[in-house]
Amino acid sequence: MKYALVTGGSRGIGRAICVKLAQMGYAILINYINNTDEANLTLEQVRQAGQEGQLLRFDVSDNKQTKETLEAWIDSHPDDSVEVLVNNAGIRRDNILALMPEEDWSEVLDITLKGFFHTTRLLLPSMIRQKYGRVINMASVSGLRGMPGQSNYSAAKGGLIAATKALALEVARKRITVNAVAPGFIRTDMLEGLDEATLKKEIPANRLGTPEEVAELVGFLASPAAGYITGEVISINGGLYT
Ligand code: NAP
């Protein structure tokens, strides 16, 4: 069976990606950290799309947890492979740099950058053996241009973009593509506390994006049709250019 692993699949953009990849025929591994109820809702939607799914609870920033969970899955599924990996888990802890606690700097970078490292390192060997794979990293407009109050988040997403480009070169010959998606403002829990009217003034399309719109783009990058696109960062932001 062909699987897709979506980190942070319990809510928001990750949930929409799980459903899209299920519609494309993938069985889905839904990673999350806290919200089992929300993860179960995603699982229900994956099943409604006609596919199998499984919850995998681990903190992507924790090497031990990630390794134990994914190695146990790999060992118990000798005939299956993870063909698509979407590194989507992320958080924001906004603050001006002068007032930013060290843990807010570290947590944001660790979930994004160590998260990418931990999952991708474990799943690449089987993609290399199969000579096929798709790695899609969820970056952000903040990783392309500065956003005040987001030096930690911008550093994390900018680093993720750089890692995307480097890894793409390493594995291109193995028919594995590695791309990043850079959303603008998308209607999810992550925007909680931000004023929608103020955000809309900045967006030429005059609206927030939807998780489903991001999932369509990820679905295309995950498809065989996108096999000649690698090392790219694709923006999806309603015209909110850098
Ligand atoms: P969200 O609704 O807040 O969901 C975040 C997801 O990440 C949840 O599934 C959460 O799991 C999971 N997660 C958080 N920390 C984790 C960890 N340490 N290990 C594993 N899973 C973890 O966020 P979203 O808006 O969908 O964002 C998804 C991605 O898109 C993020 O990388 C974000 O930076 C990026 N993005 C979002 C926007 C936007 O406007 N929304 C714009 C640009 C980029 P639980 O449910 O268990 O907490």
Side-chain angles (χ1 to χ4, degrees):
M1 223 162 156
K2 303 287 187 198
Y3 279 82
L5 168 63
V6 181
T7 70
S10 50
R11 290 183 284 133
I13 294 171
R15 171 181 287 161
I17 292 170
C18 289
V19 173
K20 177 67 197 174
L21 295 176
Q23 289 164 350
M24 289 168 62
Y26 283 103
I28 310 292
L29 300 176
I30 304 161
N31 159 258
Y32 69 106
I33 184 165
N34 286 318
N35 282 302
T36 305
D37 288 351
E38 294 291 327
N40 271 313
L41 273 178
T42 302
L43 180 59
E44 218 175 282
Q45 292 184 19
V46 163
R47 289 190 171 140
Q48 276 163 14
Q51 287 301 326
E52 254 321 297
Q54 195 181 327
L55 303 189
L56 291 185
R57 183 178 189 173
F58 59 88
D59 177 351
V60 294
S61 68
D62 184 316
N63 187 35
K64 190 165 174 283
Q65 276 183 38
T66 308
K67 199 165 158 21
E68 281 174 5
T69 312
L70 288 182
E71 283 183 348
W73 187 89
I74 291 166
D75 289 347
S76 59
H77 291 77
D79 299 326
D80 301 323
S81 60
V82 177
E83 200 171 86
V84 177
L85 166 61
V86 185
N87 287 304
N88 166 78
I91 59 163
R92 65 179 184 90
R93 294 277 181 274
D94 297 354
N95 208 334
I96 56 169
L97 187 78
L99 296 179
M100 188 176 290
E102 183 167 353
E103 57 269 27
D104 286 359
W105 175 268
S106 301
E107 208 186 342
V108 169
L109 265 85
D110 285 356
I111 291 174
T112 297
L113 291 178
K114 285 190 181 172
F116 157 79
F117 175 65
H118 294 149
T119 55
T120 311
R121 186 173 54 157
L122 283 165
L123 295 178
L124 264 183
S126 103
M127 292 183 191
I128 290 170
R129 276 196 303 277
Q130 307 277 338
K131 293 203 172 51
Y132 186 87
R134 296 281 183 265
V135 179
I136 298 152
N137 298 322
M138 199 53 64
S140 165
V141 66
S142 300
L144 292 167
R145 79 171 208 198
M147 289 275 190
Q150 291 206 312
S151 55
N152 51 356
Y153 189 79
S154 293
K157 297 303 192 182
L160 186 63
I161 288 169
T164 300
K165 289 170 186 266
L167 181 62
L169 303 183
E170 285 180 25
V171 296
R173 275 171 188 267
K174 302 291 181 189
R175 295 179 60 234
I176 300 167
T177 66
V178 188
N179 289 293
V181 167
F185 294 113
I186 309 299
R187 189 184 299 284
T188 71
D189 296 345
M190 189 171 267
L191 295 194
E192 217 173 83
L194 300 181
D195 178 48
E196 185 167 335
T198 313
L199 294 182
K200 270 164 62 174
K201 275 188 208 144
E202 272 194 63
I203 308 167
N206 198 35
R207 67 172 179 87
L208 303 181
T210 67
E212 289 73 22
E213 286 172 316
V214 180
E216 283 298 322
L217 173 55
V218 172
F220 174 64
L221 290 173
S223 72
Y228 205 51
I229 303 174
T230 197
E232 282 300 323
V233 189
I234 319 260
S235 289
I236 173 162
N237 59 24
L240 183 73
Y241 285 110
T242 55

